[in-house]
Amino acid sequence: MSRTDYGDVERGDVVVPGRPVKVHRYSGGARVNHWLTAICLVLLALSGLAMFHPSLFFLSALFGGGQWTRTIHPWIGVVLFFSFFGLFVRFWSANLWRRDDSRWIAQANDVVAGREERLPEVGKYNAGQKLVFWSMSILIIILIASGLVIWNEYFGSFTSIQLQRWALLVHAIAAVVAICVWVVHVYAAIWVKGTIGAMTRGTVTGGWAWRHHRKWLRELVSMQKGKRTETTTHSS
């Protein structure tokens, strides 16, 4: 079977029989990549807010003062960009929008009420997770682009004051939206029990996968059965 036959299955996804059944959802590399990105986002939010308004300047003490905050902030942004790029390469294909995702969004009331049995079967990521993924992808591009324009130490001589002012406004708006998206992401991870454990341990139970991501589990089981059949055929 080709990779395209199982659009929601990523490398490393495996069902392990047992009591309970365990499903490998995230590899060790993916988890390290995710948490590095998360740490960068938190540090950027704190250092950015310290420079955003005088009432929040006390946050600069976390970074050694105002000068250090101003110096460190853009470098953390560079690390975030490359770290998120790693996540993008890993996860983009499973986050492609599908027809069932539009139906899932249209039944938002059932999502909030926890009536998952009424929803379309979900692949590895539901429509909400996909919206977060693509929103952050766009926002991080905007943040890195506008951030380079206002990074005077290295790029100040290549831009005008007027362009820097516009870039600063765009950067601030994108940062606020990114923080809001991040808060929604964290809230959803806490709300759906087992989600955080999946990104710390890398595995979920078969029951969890069946309840929350049934289409993904079906594809994964089908793929493994197909591989076993091919192995048996070749060995005969």
Side-chain angles (χ1 to χ4, degrees):
M1 291 286 182
S2 66
R3 172 66 178 81
T4 55
D5 292 329
Y6 303 103
D8 288 310
V9 177
E10 298 174 321
R11 183 178 300 176
D13 295 353
V14 179
V15 176
V16 181
R19 295 186 179 181
V21 173
K22 284 189 176 181
V23 186
H24 289 269
R25 185 167 171 83
Y26 298 112
S27 66
R31 299 198 305 276
V32 171
N33 198 169
H34 170 271
W35 289 114
L36 175 60
T37 302
I39 290 170
C40 287
L41 281 169
V42 171
L43 293 177
L44 283 169
L46 292 173
S47 57
L49 288 171
M51 296 183 288
F52 183 74
H53 194 272
S55 64
L56 298 173
F57 185 73
F58 69 92
L59 293 172
S60 65
L62 298 172
F63 304 91
Q67 190 61 42
W68 274 110
T69 301
R70 185 179 178 84
T71 300
I72 293 172
H73 181 83
W75 285 110
I76 300 174
V78 172
V79 175
L80 170 69
F81 175 77
F82 285 106
S83 180
F84 190 86
F85 180 75
L87 287 180
F88 186 87
V89 171
R90 290 176 186 274
F91 300 143
W92 74 270
S93 60
N95 278 280
L96 293 175
W97 197 262
R98 306 182 192 280
R99 184 178 299 175
D100 285 344
D101 294 320
S102 298
R103 288 177 54 205
W104 194 91
I105 290 293
Q107 294 177 238
N109 289 338
D110 291 326
V111 175
V112 174
R115 297 188 292 263
E116 296 190 53
E117 69 281 358
R118 299 186 182 182
L119 299 169
E121 289 192 357
V122 174
K124 187 162 187 179
Y125 305 108
N126 62 43
Q129 291 170 310
K130 291 180 179 182
L131 286 174
V132 168
F133 177 84
W134 291 110
S135 296
M136 291 303 296
S137 298
I138 294 170
L139 288 166
I140 286 176
I141 291 174
I142 294 173
L143 286 167
I144 191 69
S146 58
L148 291 175
V149 173
I150 59 179
W151 198 352
N152 284 326
E153 184 177 358
Y154 297 103
F155 304 102
S157 59
F158 301 101
T159 58
S160 65
I161 295 298
Q162 184 177 8
L163 179 60
Q164 289 180 24
R165 287 173 177 170
W166 279 108
L168 184 60
L169 177 62
V170 170
H171 193 80
I173 293 173
V176 170
V177 176
I179 291 172
C180 292
V181 172
W182 178 81
V183 170
V184 170
H185 175 61
V186 172
Y187 177 78
I190 295 172
W191 182 41
V192 180
K193 186 178 179 181
T195 301
I196 295 178
M199 192 49 80
T200 54
R201 297 187 302 270
T203 61
V204 295
T205 64
W208 186 94
W210 178 257
R211 179 178 180 184
H212 300 296
H213 300 274
R214 191 168 300 182
K215 182 182 176 184
W216 170 63
L217 183 62
R218 287 184 190 277
E219 290 187 359
L220 186 51
V221 171
S222 177
M223 184 183 72
Q224 290 185 210
K225 285 182 178 179
K227 286 183 177 179
R228 285 198 295 268
T229 301
E230 289 178 4
T231 301
T232 303
T233 302
H234 292 154
S235 60
S236 299

